[in-house]
Amino acid sequence: MKYFLYFGLFVCLSLVSSCQKKTGSFRPGMLFPDTDGVHINAHGGGILSHNGKYYWFGEHKIAGKLGNSAQVGVSCYSSDDLYNWKNEGIALAVSEDSTHDIARGCVLERPKVIYNAKNNNYVMWFHLERKGNSYSSALTGVAVADKPEGPYRFIRSFRPDAGAWPVNVSDFHKRTDNRTKEAFSGGDLPEPIDSGMMNLIGRDFEKGQMSRDMNLFVDDDGRAYLVHASEENSTLHISELTDDYTDTRGHYVRLFPGRFMEAPALFKRDGKYYLIMSGCTGWAPNEARSAVADSLFGEWRELGNPCVGEDADLTFHSQSTYVLPVDGKEDCFIFMADRWVPENPIDGRYVWLPLTFEGEKPVLRWTDEWSY
């Protein structure tokens, strides 16, 4: 009898501990537990809103510096309300084949997923550096699945827009002579770039353009776009995707040449397109940047730092990863960012803040706890 009493008590305690109390608020920078009470492991992530449900995809980290490379894969969590998240497991697993593009130990960052209505499937893109290549690969990776939570099937990795010029190409980019800084000392440099190799677009024309920090965006007409840091991180690109969302069309535009931006988050409000980005300072936080345009391929204008208040110059010790329009809430946007902890990546925290507007300028203010 005593055994059954102890066993019953153990079962009850286990059930109590596993049934975490639901929450109805966000606490930026604090532990963000899933429905099992475990800190969510989905770093550098993004959210798919589909059929009344949200799916959060992100990098699965492990403890210690080894966790800065991909040891497990891409995590997926699901939620009905954005506050409470169920762990759906690993959506895309790394390969145990050391020669595979996404072999364990590669760098697999900032996964994003969009739904393709044409094929009724789900398409994941991510920044990929092959194992042992440090950050020299500068590839995009693509995987697809039949269900939002996966499992995802890796298709391939590549550099976008091979053999294509951007819509705002200049004669300078098409020159085939010596493309060093010294070769253009006569004053015909079309843009400010600090790199010793000036014409990076021309250099990478045949093999495709470099791609690192990235994001996906689907416009109202169903066309999808990849926005990514390119040209040794000196310039952002926006590339239109094919109808199945698994490749680029070769139709792309260069933004902010020589400004060195990364961590782009692209969204739309009242017919205008917005970007929130960071500078390039490695794992260390820096001052966020914002910009607006009437057209994705049109003229973009910088609007400055969207953050105001204490630690605004450090984006509240975080870096942008996604801007989420909340379903059913008019003019309601959530700014998603990461606090990186490279010494112990699994302890990275999430900074989710309400994104408001003053005129056309996006504004971010710190709050310890909030609800939309």
Side-chain angles (χ1 to χ4, degrees):
M1 178 64 72
K2 186 180 293 185
Y3 168 82
F4 288 107
L5 288 174
Y6 284 137
F7 179 77
L9 179 62
F10 171 77
V11 171
C12 289
L13 289 173
S14 298
L15 288 173
V16 169
S17 63
S18 64
C19 297
Q20 297 296 314
K21 183 180 178 181
K22 281 197 170 186
T23 184
S25 65
F26 302 111
R27 299 171 66 209
M30 305 299 288
L31 288 173
F32 198 154
D34 63 17
T35 53
D36 293 324
V38 179
H39 182 49
I40 291 172
N41 198 339
H43 309 267
I47 290 182
L48 167 70
S49 175
H50 187 65
N51 289 339
K53 203 167 204 174
Y54 296 99
Y55 298 88
W56 179 358
F57 299 88
E59 306 161 29
H60 187 286
K61 302 291 191 183
I62 66 169
K65 291 186 177 181
L66 189 63
N68 292 313
S69 60
Q71 300 297 318
V72 180
V74 176
S75 301
C76 177
Y77 293 79
S78 66
S79 175
D80 296 321
D81 59 10
L82 293 173
Y83 302 116
N84 303 277
W85 293 89
K86 175 187 175 185
N87 187 353
E88 298 286 357
I90 301 302
L92 175 68
V94 296
S95 174
E96 298 302 327
D97 177 358
S98 62
T99 64
H100 198 283
D101 281 9
I102 58 168
R104 182 188 301 276
C106 69
V107 172
L108 195 165
E109 296 178 332
R110 298 183 178 270
K112 306 294 185 292
V113 172
I114 50 180
Y115 172 68
N116 183 265
K118 177 183 178 181
N119 292 329
N120 189 29
N121 67 354
Y122 305 86
V123 185
M124 177 188 294
W125 286 65
F126 49 88
H127 163 220
L128 176 66
E129 303 288 345
R130 291 186 179 130
K131 184 177 182 179
N133 283 12
S134 184
Y135 274 77
S136 63
S137 300
L139 300 167
T140 53
V142 180
V144 297
D146 299 322
K147 299 187 298 181
E149 65 272 23
Y152 283 77
R153 304 179 299 279
F154 176 77
I155 298 177
R156 66 187 181 112
S157 67
F158 61 100
R159 285 190 172 184
D161 301 313
W165 295 113
V167 297
N168 51 350
V169 66
S170 71
D171 291 339
F172 160 77
H173 298 125
K174 295 184 177 181
R175 291 178 66 159
T176 58
D177 56 356
N178 187 353
R179 301 184 181 97
T180 64
K181 186 174 183 179
E182 291 72 24
F184 297 98
S185 58
D188 59 345
L189 280 173
E191 57 198 38
I193 297 181
D194 295 330
S195 170
M197 176 67 80
M198 293 291 98
N199 186 6
L200 300 173
I201 283 283
R203 183 195 70 180
D204 295 334
F205 176 77
E206 294 294 340
K207 63 183 177 181
Q209 300 302 319
M210 302 179 76
S211 183
R212 293 196 177 116
D213 280 11
M214 52 72 61
N215 222 313
L216 296 176
F217 172 75
V218 181
D219 211 344
D220 302 331
D221 59 4
R223 293 183 182 179
Y225 300 85
L226 168 73
V227 52
H228 56 117
S230 189
E231 302 177 48
E232 303 289 358
N233 284 9
S234 70
T235 304
L236 289 182
H237 290 188
I238 295 180
S239 302
E240 185 179 349
L241 303 187
T242 53
D243 289 344
D244 63 2
Y245 298 171
T246 64
D247 201 353
T248 55
R249 288 186 182 276
H251 181 227
Y252 68 108
V253 64
R254 303 171 71 236
L255 309 182
F256 320 115
R259 289 284 284 127
F260 288 89
M261 301 187 189
E262 60 184 12
L266 175 62
F267 64 103
K268 192 174 185 179
R269 174 184 182 262
D270 292 343
K272 291 182 180 291
Y273 300 89
Y274 289 88
L275 272 167
I276 294 182
M277 308 141 289
S278 80
C280 297
T281 53
W283 297 113
N286 56 61
E287 184 176 294
R289 307 173 188 182
S290 62
V292 64
D294 294 323
S295 166
L296 282 173
F297 284 66
E299 191 71 26
W300 283 82
R301 293 182 291 111
E302 288 197 55
L303 300 173
N305 185 3
C307 303
V308 296
E310 186 177 356
D311 292 328
D313 60 335
L314 295 174
T315 316
F316 312 116
H317 300 276
S318 69
Q319 185 185 40
S320 51
T321 185
Y322 200 77
V323 171
L324 174 70
V326 179
D327 291 342
K329 301 287 184 180
E330 186 177 357
D331 210 28
C332 183
F333 298 89
I334 297 176
F335 170 75
M336 298 169 52
D338 291 275
R339 279 186 179 170
W340 302 112
V341 185
E343 296 78 18
N344 191 33
I346 197 172
D347 191 37
R349 306 297 175 90
Y350 310 104
V351 172
W352 288 22
L353 292 171
L355 178 64
T356 59
F357 285 83
E358 294 179 359
E360 70 173 2
K361 181 177 172 62
V363 176
L364 293 165
R365 291 183 172 85
W366 180 263
T367 179
D368 291 331
E369 187 170 3
W370 66 283
S371 302
Y372 61 79

